[in-house]
Amino acid sequence: MQTIKDMPVRATDRSRVRIFATVKVMHQSTRARVVDLSPTGMAFDIEKPIQISPGQIVTVESEELGRLSGTVRWYSNGRLGIQYKLSTNALAQISSYFRFFHEEVRPVLRR
């Protein structure tokens, strides 16, 4: 049994958001709602179950964030967490979201 002190700690702070997106993996896609966002990843509530496992590459498309790619970190009970596949473009998109849509939090993005 794992105790609280053995649990992994998030490397960066996350901000609660409400962004609607489409998550695509392989030949599947589902609508999802981004529930939290950080400079390194995001978590979703997904609309319908999909076949997905940690390590798979996903594409996320939304009006606010544009198109991003990431790696599945976890998937459980209709929730999905990804880590961005960081590129200059991805960093710019996330930074832009925080600057224009989510003004109360302005993360520092570093490579």
Side-chain angles (χ1 to χ4, degrees):
M1 185 168 147
Q2 208 174 33
T3 64
I4 291 176
K5 69 179 184 174
D6 297 330
M7 300 290 276
V9 177
R10 287 185 175 149
T12 58
D13 289 334
R14 291 186 176 255
S15 298
R16 292 213 172 276
V17 296
R18 190 179 178 102
I19 300 171
F20 293 94
T22 300
V23 176
K24 297 178 181 179
V25 59
M26 303 286 283
H27 300 292
Q28 307 172 85
S29 69
T30 185
R31 296 277 305 147
R33 183 171 58 98
V34 181
V35 293
D36 64 39
L37 182 68
S38 81
T40 59
M42 63 178 75
F44 304 88
D45 281 334
I46 61 170
E47 193 173 274
K48 64 179 183 180
I50 56 176
Q51 295 289 330
I52 198 166
S53 58
Q56 284 186 291
I57 302 296
V58 297
T59 301
V60 178
E61 294 179 9
S62 79
E63 190 173 310
E64 294 88 349
L65 299 172
R67 184 181 203 164
L68 297 167
S69 292
T71 304
V72 175
R73 303 308 288 166
W74 53 268
Y75 176 56
S76 178
N77 297 323
R79 300 227 26 194
L80 170 67
I82 69 163
Q83 180 177 9
Y84 307 127
K85 194 173 178 184
L86 288 179
S87 66
T88 305
N89 187 44
L91 291 170
Q93 287 170 266
I94 299 303
S95 183
S96 177
Y97 171 79
F98 279 107
R99 188 172 26 258
F100 296 111
F101 295 102
H102 198 78
E103 301 225 1
E104 67 266 13
V105 177
R106 293 186 183 209
V108 176
L109 300 176
R110 297 183 191 138
R111 288 194 82 187

